[in-house]
Amino acid sequence: MRFQPYRSPSTGREVRAVLFDTFGTVVDWRTGVARHAAAFAAAHGHELDAEAFADDWRALYQPAMEAIRSGQRGFATLDALHRENLDQVLRRHGFDPGQLGGEALDGLNKCWHRLPPWPDSVKGLAAVRRSYIVGPLSNGNTSLLLDMAKNAGIPWDVIIGSDMTRTYKPLPQAYLRTAGFLDLNPGEVMLAAAHNNDLHAGRKAGLATAFIARPTEYGTGQVADLAPESDWDLSASSIPDLADRLGA
């Protein structure tokens, strides 16, 4: 029987590509960063609350991008922003970055390239990929996303990093330029994400939307994004569940 692509109720178009938010939706950034930070601290004889370190580093993510989104500074890659923020986080946790050496700090910064996938991610993406174009729709730069995919076995068809779109979500151009690179109408692209705010912005830009629950992205005490907060096209408990709902 011929495969029938999912038709988005919100856009009225058949979905051709399913693009995924990556940090938190496809990969477990908190566990990965904490693991690398703990090893870094141990190698330097330093005690560390590694999960708090990961949370503090991640908390600087949006403010750093906002300076670019608002036009206060020119575009810089997420790798560059993470590296700028790293010194601040290290000081907060009792390190002196000036005593650590640039090579060691650059190595720690690369931990964002080596994040583990959620247990269902690789299997689920492979299932979606049988019927749809799959790729990230992420604020990560291309080399970061490429290294992450190679390390974690993530089966993307295409990687379009923020250094290609030259902008950051949730600005509309982050979504529209990605669709444009694929020569697709925005309504033929579905954004799959664990974050309701990302989905709101994607829908405003004309994309179809799917919520994927990641209730422990921020640990067991997470209070936000525990459930869909709007009438997204689809809502799933995992990426394999999303694949089923797409008929993949």
Side-chain angles (χ1 to χ4, degrees):
M1 186 169 62
R2 181 178 179 274
F3 168 71
Q4 187 63 40
Y6 176 81
R7 182 175 290 276
S8 162
S10 65
T11 71
R13 290 180 175 267
E14 290 185 347
V15 171
R16 294 181 56 193
V18 184
L19 305 184
F20 291 79
D21 169 71
T22 304
F23 297 106
T25 301
V26 176
V27 297
D28 180 1
W29 62 265
R30 188 173 191 260
T31 297
V33 171
R35 183 182 301 144
H36 286 284
F40 180 87
H44 290 85
H46 192 95
E47 292 187 5
L48 181 69
D49 182 338
E51 290 183 341
F53 185 94
D55 289 339
D56 288 346
W57 200 355
R58 179 69 171 180
L60 298 175
Y61 170 77
Q62 287 294 342
M65 290 187 297
E66 183 56 29
I68 295 169
R69 289 189 293 245
S70 67
Q72 295 176 32
R73 64 177 292 186
F75 183 82
T77 67
L78 189 59
D79 271 341
L81 299 180
H82 278 153
R83 180 63 188 85
E84 291 172 6
N85 294 337
L86 176 57
D87 286 356
Q88 181 177 339
V89 178
L90 286 167
R91 292 189 185 96
R92 187 179 302 172
H93 287 265
F95 291 91
D96 179 357
Q99 299 297 315
L100 294 172
E103 185 174 346
L105 296 178
D106 290 343
L108 178 56
N109 198 53
K110 286 279 190 178
C111 74
W112 295 94
H113 292 227
R114 301 187 297 274
L115 300 178
W118 293 107
D120 64 86
S121 290
V122 172
K123 177 182 177 182
L125 289 169
V128 177
R129 185 172 180 257
R130 286 196 293 266
S131 304
Y132 300 90
I133 299 165
V134 297
L137 208 172
S138 170
N139 286 325
N141 45 282
T142 303
S143 63
L144 187 163
L145 295 168
L146 176 60
D147 287 349
M148 182 191 296
K150 296 292 284 186
N151 181 70
I154 298 171
W156 300 132
D157 286 310
V158 63
I159 296 175
I160 300 169
S162 58
D163 51 327
M164 296 174 67
T165 62
R166 308 297 289 180
T167 189
Y168 284 119
K169 298 187 295 181
L171 291 181
Q173 290 305 316
Y175 308 94
L176 296 174
R177 288 174 185 166
T178 302
F181 274 117
L182 296 175
D183 198 23
L184 295 176
N185 181 283
E188 297 174 313
V189 175
M190 172 173 277
L191 171 65
H195 312 117
N196 286 281
N197 286 344
D198 196 2
L199 294 173
H200 278 294
R203 180 164 65 183
K204 189 175 181 180
L207 275 60
T209 52
F211 178 83
I212 299 172
R214 296 298 189 198
T216 59
E217 177 187 355
Y218 285 86
T220 56
Q222 182 169 320
V223 296
D225 290 318
L226 298 176
E229 297 173 2
S230 189
D231 56 341
W232 311 125
D233 289 308
L234 294 172
S235 179
S237 61
S238 65
I239 300 179
D241 183 32
L242 177 65
D244 289 343
R245 294 173 186 273
L246 287 165

